[in-house]
């Protein structure tokens, strides 16, 4: 019974157009899926709703409220009656918008103090403002040049709806004809998320385009010794479209982290295409097209399959990440490498038959022919062969040197900082970020730390007293807390500043509080919320504050039957920092376990661990370079370890497979290693450098999180080449001394 690769080779040789038609049909379905791809900028990208923490945050947002949208008005004097009249009319229009709960600003203060109408003169305006509470004026009118309107949204408004409201507000402002000299800016977290999503959408297209252009130049220069040298570029384009299509069909969104997957896929996908194309070009030089198709598909196909599955296992390890967009990154990369592998395996032989492929007579690199008669490619082949022979002959010094560097890298890796602050990931000149920073400077921090209190009856005098006491305790003992609002503070406000002592009094006071106000801090009798306002903090400081409040909750000993939990975006990002710190090592270990188990299963012998050992070194080198370049671990760079395992395993496995193939033909070990590296090393170098070109597109990103990831992945691919071409021969030499001649690979059978 033929194995699948023999069946595919026979099908391509005997039914070329049928195979091409089936492949085209699958491609058309993938094109349809392109229209279903969506962007993800909400909290769902950071926190899994199925976890207790994610479920609590989702419940809090749906029950108690959404982020507010801010309007910043800037002019020479916002106290001008004409300016204030415009603001009043605009606020009235905005109150009629769907999902808008309330709109407030300095005009409401003026109207309240003037019998419900705006004062008509600047003197009246100044007089009212002079008599208003200073803290209220400071927030609504931070200077004579600026004022702010706060648009509070209804509780439970989704991120998509919030962004829709932002778009509607921008449209209303655009057609409202502001007075001359007045600038109106829509700001706040929803506006920031909307602009970030739009920027990511355009960024994705730009990165893919740049990666493809760089890859074209790399292939034209490095792969010029074969005919149809741009064929791998077309294959990667097909694989990428299939990946996008499957993302749409499976409902996988594009997030800030997933954007970085596409240049990664371009770099890895080109490798499969180049390896198969190079092998076909090698085989066609000594046989017919059908024989070359058979040899390429049946011998190179299984070898690349093992490498591809190892790569996929490195990405599958990311499925276990607690951060959803990291898991999505792994899923997209897994789908992508499988798509690119299948595309290369089918397109290369089909294209060769359709075009009646003929090899070039000479292997010339970039049109340069040395005077000695050998091309640059041939000289490079010999150089790699001699290097592999020398390394395999003296393996221990090589292994010791690289192992020491790796050990130092693992040590330094523990000192690499972790960051989960979304605002540091985006371009520093993004207008929405600049307006948000201006808003923070004039109003103070708009962030809060919500604390959810659960009890059989949160309105019992005992529970209310604890809520009130805890709010006061935090304000007195925590210098980062600027205020607190809760059902207890509301009841105090409506009861002359004191808490009632009986349930009947509590019920009577609660009945007087407007439902729209009460619902932001009370959910029936079973749940209430304290919202602590804070100063503006770096995310690392906020992370410490979240931990401090959690400790304070335990210290203040809630009444029996009362459960207290922190939630909100600040707590979420603090948790993400912990998740990144813990999961990056966890994902790397899972990746190693997966690949090691897979290789043992495939090869069924001790020497199967050979491809993994250089990868251990490479992961250590990555840690050293992260520390030396002063980079941080983010949700994207957290995948570096498991991604490196996937990428580097391909190179090491292909070297080992080719060495086994040469041993099966009767070569001595050192000659087999030399021939293997000499034959496949050039293809690995070409594909590796082309991968570097693909990854280097990431360094051009305006998003810091993506550009930093591009830097470390470019270096990591370089390390992977060193690991495959230099370290792997040394490891094979040691393994050969212990285990003797390797197995005969299954793909070594003669064509039928």
């Amino acid at each position: 019974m033929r194995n699948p690769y023999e069946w595919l080779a026979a099908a391509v040789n005997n039914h070329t157009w049928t195979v091409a038609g089936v492949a085209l049909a699958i491609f058309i379905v993938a094109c349809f899926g392109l229209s279903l791809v969506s962007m993800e900028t909400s909290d769902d990208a950071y926190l899994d709703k199925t976890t207790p923490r994610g479920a609590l945050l989702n419940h809090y947002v749906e029950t108690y409220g959404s982020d507010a949208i801010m309007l910043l008005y800037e002019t020479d004097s916002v106290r001008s009656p004409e300016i204030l009249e415009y603001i009043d009319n605009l606020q009235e229009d905005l109150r009629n918008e769907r999902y808008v709960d309330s709109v407030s600003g300095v005009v409401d203060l003026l109207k309240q103090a003037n019998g419900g109408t705006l004062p008509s003169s600047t003197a009246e305006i100044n007089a009212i403002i002079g008599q208003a509470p200073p803290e209220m004026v400071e927030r609504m009118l931070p200077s004579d040049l600026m004022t702010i309107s706060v648009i509070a949204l209804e509780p439970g408004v989704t991120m998509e709806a919030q962004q829709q409201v932002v778009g509607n507000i921008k449209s209303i402002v655009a057609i409202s004809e502001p007075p001359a000299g007045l600038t109106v800016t829509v700001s706040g977290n929803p506006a920031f998320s909307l602009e970030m999503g739009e920027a990511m959408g355009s960024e994705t297209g730009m990165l893919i385009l740049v990666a493809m252009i760089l890859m074209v130049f790399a292939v034209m220069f490095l792969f010029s010794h074969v005919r149809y040298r741009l064929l791998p570029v077309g294959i990667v384009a097909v694989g990428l479209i299939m990946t996008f299509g499957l993302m749409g069909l499976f409902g996988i969104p594009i997030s800030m982290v997933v954007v970085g997957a596409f240049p990664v896929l371009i770099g890895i996908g080109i490798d499969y295409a180049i390896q198969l194309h190079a092998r076909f070009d090698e085989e066609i030089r000594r046989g017919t097209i059908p024989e070359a198709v058979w040899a390429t598909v049946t011998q190179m196909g299984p070898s690349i399959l093992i490498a591809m599955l190892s790569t996929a296992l490195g990405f599958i390890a990311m499925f276990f990440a607690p951060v959803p967009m990291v898991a999505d990154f792994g899923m997209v990369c897994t789908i992508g490498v499988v798509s690119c592998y299948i595309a290369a395996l089918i397109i290369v032989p089909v294209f060769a038959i359709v075009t009646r492929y003929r090899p070039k007579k000479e292997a010339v690199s970039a049109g340069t022919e040395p005077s000695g008669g050998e091309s640059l490619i041939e000289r490079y082949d010999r150089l790699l062969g001699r290097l592999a022979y020398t390394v395999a002959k003296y393996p221990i010094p090589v292994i010791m040197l690289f192992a020491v560097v790796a050990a130092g890298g693992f040590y330094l890796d523990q000192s690499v900082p972790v960051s989960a602050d979304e605002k540091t990931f985006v371009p520093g000149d993004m207008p929405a970020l600049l307006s948000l920073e201006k808003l923070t400077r004039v109003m103070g921090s708009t962030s809060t730390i919500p604390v959810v209190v659960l009890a059989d009856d949160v309105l019992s005098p005992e529970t209310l007293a604890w809520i009130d006491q805890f709010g006061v305790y935090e304000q007195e003992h925590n210098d980062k807390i600027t205020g607190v609002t809760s059902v207890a503070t509301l009841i105090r406000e409506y009861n002359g500043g004191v808490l009632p002592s009986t349930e009947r009094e509590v019920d009577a006071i609660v009945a007087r509080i407007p439902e729209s106000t009460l619902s932001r801090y009370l959910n029936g009798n079973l749940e209430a919320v304290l919202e602590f306002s804070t100063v503006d903090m770096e995310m690392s400081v906020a992370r410490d504050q979240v931990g401090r409040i959690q400790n304070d909750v335990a210290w203040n000993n809630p009444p029996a039957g009362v459960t207290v939990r922190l939630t909100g975006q600040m707590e979420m990002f603090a948790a993400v920092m912990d998740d990144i710190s813990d999961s990056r090592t966890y994902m790397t270990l899972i990746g190693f376990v997966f690949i090691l188990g897979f290789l043992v299963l495939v090869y069924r012998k001790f020497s199967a661990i050979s491809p993994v050992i250089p990868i251990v070194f490479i992961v250590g080198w990555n840690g050293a370079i992260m520390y030396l370049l002063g980079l941080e671990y983010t949700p994207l760079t957290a995948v570096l370890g498991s991604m490196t395992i996937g990428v580097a395993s391909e190179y090491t496995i292909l070297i080992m497979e080719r060495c086994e193939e040469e041993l099966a033909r009767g070569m001595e070990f050192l000659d087999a290693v030399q021939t293997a590296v000499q034959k496949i090393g050039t293809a690995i170098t070409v594909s590796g450098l082309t991968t570097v070109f693909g990854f280097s597109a990431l360094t051009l990103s305006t998003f810091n999180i993506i550009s930093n990831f591009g830097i470390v992945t470019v270096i990591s691919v370089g390390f992977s080449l060193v690991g495959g071409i230099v370290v792997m021969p040394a490891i094979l030499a040691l393994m050969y001394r212990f285990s003797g001649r390797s197995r005969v690979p299954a793909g070594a059978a003669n064509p039928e």
Side-chain angles (χ1 to χ4, degrees):
M1 181 178 177
R2 286 181 172 178
N3 67 42
Y5 288 94
E6 292 175 345
W7 177 87
L8 178 61
V12 171
N13 276 329
N14 301 325
H15 307 285
T16 307
W17 291 106
T18 301
V19 173
V22 171
L24 180 61
I26 296 173
F27 180 76
I28 292 172
V29 172
C31 289
F32 168 74
L34 280 172
S35 62
L36 305 177
V37 177
S38 61
M39 302 294 298
E40 177 66 85
T41 58
S42 68
D43 295 343
D44 293 350
Y46 292 95
L47 213 56
D48 184 356
K49 286 183 180 179
T50 62
T51 63
R53 174 179 276 120
L56 180 63
L57 178 59
N58 186 58
H59 168 72
Y60 168 77
V61 171
E62 290 183 349
T63 305
Y64 297 102
S66 307
D67 278 317
I69 300 171
M70 312 290 186
L71 291 184
L72 275 68
Y73 308 93
E74 297 176 275
T75 187
D76 293 337
S77 176
V78 292
R79 301 191 186 197
S80 162
E82 179 189 9
I83 298 295
L84 293 173
E85 182 180 1
Y86 165 80
I87 294 174
D88 188 36
N89 293 333
L90 180 60
Q91 288 191 172
E92 286 299 323
D93 291 339
L94 295 177
R95 288 189 178 99
N96 297 323
E97 278 297 300
R98 187 182 180 188
Y99 302 122
V100 171
D101 185 44
S102 64
V103 183
S104 60
V106 70
V107 292
D108 299 289
L109 171 67
L110 295 170
K111 289 168 70 174
Q112 183 179 1
N114 196 50
T117 60
L118 273 176
S120 57
S121 69
T122 303
E124 292 176 299
I125 293 169
N126 290 336
I128 294 173
I129 292 174
Q131 297 173 0
E135 63 275 6
M136 184 181 295
V137 174
E138 186 178 351
R139 288 182 66 84
M140 292 184 173
L141 195 69
S143 76
D144 194 42
L145 305 177
M146 176 190 296
T147 188
I148 298 165
S149 290
V150 180
I151 305 168
L153 302 181
E154 296 173 356
V157 177
T158 64
M159 180 59 71
E160 291 74 16
Q162 289 184 42
Q163 294 180 358
Q164 179 184 339
V165 174
V166 171
N168 294 341
I169 291 173
K170 287 183 175 181
S171 299
I172 291 172
V173 170
I175 63 175
S176 64
E177 299 181 356
L182 176 65
T183 301
V184 184
T185 304
V186 182
S187 187
N189 287 328
F192 173 79
S193 296
L194 176 63
E195 187 168 329
M196 183 174 67
E198 292 172 346
M200 280 197 304
S202 60
E203 185 98 311
T204 301
M206 185 274 289
L207 290 178
I208 291 175
L209 177 62
V210 172
M212 294 294 285
I213 292 173
L214 290 174
M215 193 170 58
V216 166
F217 283 112
V219 171
M220 288 183 67
F221 179 78
L222 299 168
F223 208 44
S224 60
H225 58 287
V226 301
R227 195 176 296 278
Y228 306 116
R229 54 188 167 180
L230 293 182
L231 175 61
V233 178
I235 292 172
V236 169
V238 171
L240 210 60
I241 291 172
M242 290 176 62
T243 303
F244 268 113
L246 291 172
M247 284 180 64
L249 294 173
F250 293 153
I252 303 172
I254 297 177
S255 66
M256 189 186 303
V257 169
V258 172
V259 166
F262 299 112
V264 170
L265 290 178
I266 290 173
I268 295 174
I270 195 73
D271 194 28
Y272 303 145
I274 286 176
Q275 292 291 344
L276 286 163
H277 192 175
R279 183 59 181 263
F280 183 87
D281 190 78
E282 178 186 336
E283 296 294 338
I284 194 65
R285 294 178 186 275
R286 56 184 180 226
T288 63
I289 289 180
E291 290 172 343
V293 167
W294 182 275
T296 300
V297 173
T298 60
Q299 295 186 24
M300 202 65 182
S303 296
I304 297 181
L305 174 68
I306 294 173
M308 184 274 291
L309 291 176
S310 296
T311 301
L313 287 172
F315 292 132
I316 289 173
M318 299 176 198
F319 292 7
F320 297 89
V323 182
M325 59 181 168
V326 173
D328 286 344
F329 179 94
M331 191 174 297
V332 169
C333 287
T334 302
I335 293 172
V337 295
V338 173
S339 298
C340 290
Y341 171 73
I342 293 174
L345 188 64
I346 293 175
I347 292 175
V348 167
V350 168
F351 181 86
I353 292 174
V354 171
T355 59
R356 298 179 181 178
Y357 188 100
R358 292 176 295 105
K360 286 186 174 182
K361 292 183 179 179
E362 296 179 350
V364 181
S365 176
T368 304
E369 182 74 21
S371 57
E374 286 186 330
S375 68
L376 291 179
I377 289 294
E378 289 170 336
R379 285 190 170 187
Y380 182 69
D381 286 343
R382 292 183 182 277
L383 174 64
L384 290 183
R386 288 196 298 268
L387 175 63
Y389 187 94
T390 303
V391 168
K393 193 171 182 180
Y394 307 104
I396 293 179
V398 174
I399 293 174
M400 291 296 293
L401 172 64
F402 288 121
V404 168
V405 176
F410 282 117
Y411 174 77
L412 294 175
D413 183 68
Q414 305 305 311
S415 302
V416 177
V418 177
S419 174
D421 189 348
E422 193 174 49
K423 294 178 179 60
T424 65
F425 298 161
V426 301
D429 59 352
M430 180 185 286
L433 177 62
L434 296 177
S435 65
L436 199 60
E437 290 175 341
K438 181 185 294 185
L439 190 69
T440 301
R441 286 195 299 271
V442 299
M443 288 187 66
S445 173
T446 58
S447 301
T448 61
I449 301 179
V451 179
V452 178
V453 179
L454 302 168
D456 292 336
D457 183 7
V458 293
L459 293 179
S460 69
E462 182 184 15
T463 304
L464 279 176
W466 185 88
I467 292 173
D468 184 61
Q469 175 267 326
F470 182 66
V472 172
Y473 177 88
E474 282 302 311
Q475 290 184 90
E476 292 177 349
H477 293 81
N478 193 329
D479 60 353
K480 298 294 190 295
I481 300 295
T482 59
V484 62
T485 310
S486 68
V487 65
T489 63
L490 288 178
I491 290 175
R492 275 183 175 277
E493 182 181 340
Y494 280 80
N495 194 45
V498 297
L499 282 177
S501 58
T502 67
E503 292 186 8
R504 179 176 295 181
E505 289 178 309
V506 171
D507 293 340
I509 296 167
V510 168
R512 299 204 308 265
I513 303 175
E515 179 61 28
S516 59
T517 302
L518 191 64
S519 63
R520 291 188 175 274
Y521 304 99
L522 183 68
N523 181 25
N525 277 20
L526 303 178
E527 184 179 272
V529 165
L530 298 90
E531 284 198 348
F532 290 105
S533 54
T534 69
V535 299
D536 190 34
M537 295 178 285
E538 297 288 337
M539 189 52 62
S540 58
V541 178
R543 179 190 191 184
D544 294 337
Q545 286 303 307
V546 168
R548 177 174 177 177
I549 294 175
Q550 288 172 333
N551 293 333
D552 288 345
V553 167
W555 174 259
N556 282 270
N557 193 24
V562 175
T563 302
V564 182
R565 295 179 60 191
L566 273 68
T567 187
Q569 281 205 341
M570 197 174 294
E571 193 276 341
M572 177 191 73
F573 283 116
V576 169
M577 291 180 71
D578 292 333
D579 289 340
I580 292 172
S581 182
D582 296 338
S583 65
R584 61 187 175 89
T585 302
Y586 180 61
M587 288 188 296
T588 303
L589 290 175
I590 289 179
F592 275 124
V593 170
F594 280 177
I595 291 179
L596 187 58
F598 172 71
L599 293 177
V600 170
L601 182 66
V602 170
Y603 296 116
R604 294 184 177 88
K605 60 180 180 178
F606 175 75
S607 61
I609 69 171
S610 300
V612 177
I613 297 174
I615 303 173
V616 175
F617 294 173
I618 297 166
V619 172
W621 304 342
N622 285 341
I625 206 66
M626 289 279 292
Y627 178 83
L628 294 174
L629 293 180
L631 301 176
E632 298 176 324
Y633 277 115
T634 65
L636 190 48
T637 50
V639 309
L640 184 63
S642 50
M643 190 196 75
T644 299
I645 293 171
V647 173
S649 63
E650 179 187 351
Y651 301 147
T652 57
I653 288 172
L654 289 177
I655 292 288
M656 184 180 74
E657 280 284 314
R658 189 57 185 258
C659 182
E660 301 252 6
E661 189 176 327
E662 300 303 331
L663 286 170
R665 292 174 178 169
M667 280 192 180
E668 292 297 325
F669 174 75
L670 290 177
D671 294 331
V673 169
Q674 179 175 358
T675 302
V677 174
Q678 187 168 320
K679 289 289 186 181
I680 207 169
T682 299
I684 285 179
T685 303
V686 171
S687 61
L689 292 178
T690 308
T691 301
V692 166
F693 274 74
F695 284 175
S696 63
L698 293 171
T699 64
L700 304 177
S701 173
T702 57
F703 283 74
N704 297 328
I705 185 175
I706 297 175
S707 60
N708 289 342
F709 178 66
I711 293 171
V712 294
T713 49
V714 164
I715 296 172
S716 180
V717 172
F719 288 162
S720 299
L721 284 174
V722 174
I725 294 174
V726 180
V727 180
M728 190 60 188
I731 300 298
L732 288 174
L734 282 185
M735 288 297 175
Y736 186 79
R737 293 181 185 180
F738 286 112
S739 59
R741 185 175 298 278
S742 299
R743 67 176 178 85
V744 178
N750 294 324
E752 293 181 4

